[in-house]
């Protein structure tokens, strides 16, 4: 497994496994304490694992947490997703940068998203399972959502949206969220 910095988002990493494939299929290590530690992250900081299943065209996000934020490891364990990270850390050298990724079950690549970044994804296959490893227990009172089609972000979502939560559909703009956070 190797770790690669994401240049568009300071502190973000891609963890790319080296699967062993043969006639039975493949075996792949998807988390390695030593590799995570080698880039300065605490592998034992992650306290919650979650899984979402989406169908083609479903869009989830853009989500982040207020307060201390939430760092997470995200991997598409089945299918393919178009994944988006927006850096919303005012002190970051990559503040307001957007980075996009294609994550899939073929590569089993894991994306590390630092706390203070918004995250969302769209399912590209009929079924897409997305695994999350999060560094803080979820507190719904800290949930923040930004509208997925904010013109300031101009995210190039690859498919028409077939479904999303009411919370995501009614989300405020990036400007509104930032104005609220400054208070």
């Amino acid at each position: 497994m190797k770790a690669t910095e994401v240049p568009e988002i300071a502190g973000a990493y891609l963890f790319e496994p080296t699967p062993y494939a043969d006639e039975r299929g493949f075996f792949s290590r998807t988390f390695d304490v030593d590799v995570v530690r080698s880039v300065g992250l605490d592998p034992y900081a992650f306290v919650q694992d979650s899984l979402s299943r989406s169908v083609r065209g479903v869009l989830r996000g853009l989500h982040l947490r207020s307060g201390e934020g939430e760092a997470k490891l995200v991997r598409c364990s089945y299918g393919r997703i178009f994944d988006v990270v927006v850096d919303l850390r005012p002190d970051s050298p990559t503040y307001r940068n957007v980075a996009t990724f294609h994550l899939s079950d073929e590569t089993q690549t894991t994306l590390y998203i630092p706390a203070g970044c918004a995250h969302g994804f769209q399912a590209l296959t009929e079924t897409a399972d997305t695994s999350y490893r999060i560094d803080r227990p979820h507190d719904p009172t800290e949930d923040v959502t930004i509208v997925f089609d904010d013109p300031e972000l101009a995210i190039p979502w690859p498919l028409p949206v077939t479904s999303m939560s009411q919370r995501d559909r009614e989300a405020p703009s990036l400007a509104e969220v930032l104005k609220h956070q400054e208070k």
Side-chain angles (χ1 to χ4, degrees), residues 132-145:
Y132 309 82
R133 183 168 274 184
I134 302 165
D135 73 343
R136 289 186 25 199
H138 183 249
D139 179 350
T141 66
E142 296 179 332
D143 288 348
V144 177
T145 305

Side-chain angles (χ1 to χ4, degrees), residues 52 54 57-64 72 82-86 117-123 132 144-150 153 155 157 161 163-172:
S52 70
S54 304
V58 165
L59 195 140
R60 296 180 187 260
L62 299 163
H63 302 150
L64 71 150
K72 55 186 151 184
F82 176 78
D83 201 271
V84 177
V85 178
V86 181
C117 293
H119 173 250
F121 68 88
Q122 184 174 43
Y132 309 82
V144 177
T145 305
I146 299 166
V147 68
F148 78 100
D149 60 353
D150 188 296
L153 297 173
I155 297 167
W157 300 103
V161 177
S163 183
M164 69 173 53
S165 71
Q166 182 173 344
R167 179 183 97 175
D168 291 351
R169 195 177 307 106
E170 297 172 354

Side-chain angles (χ1 to χ4, degrees), residues 79-99:
R80 286 185 302 119
I81 63 172
F82 176 78
D83 201 271
V84 177
V85 178
V86 181
D87 189 343
L88 295 177
R89 302 167 293 169
D91 297 334
S92 170
T94 56
Y95 180 57
R96 292 198 184 195
N97 278 7
V98 176

Side-chain angles (χ1 to χ4, degrees), residues 49-79:
D49 283 357
S50 300
L51 175 72
S52 70
R53 174 165 286 169
S54 304
V55 297
R56 188 172 193 269
V58 165
L59 195 140
R60 296 180 187 260
L62 299 163
H63 302 150
L64 71 150
R65 300 238 337 247
S66 62
E68 296 175 32
E70 168 184 87
K72 55 186 151 184
L73 294 164
V74 176
R75 178 173 55 89
C76 183
S77 54
Y78 182 81

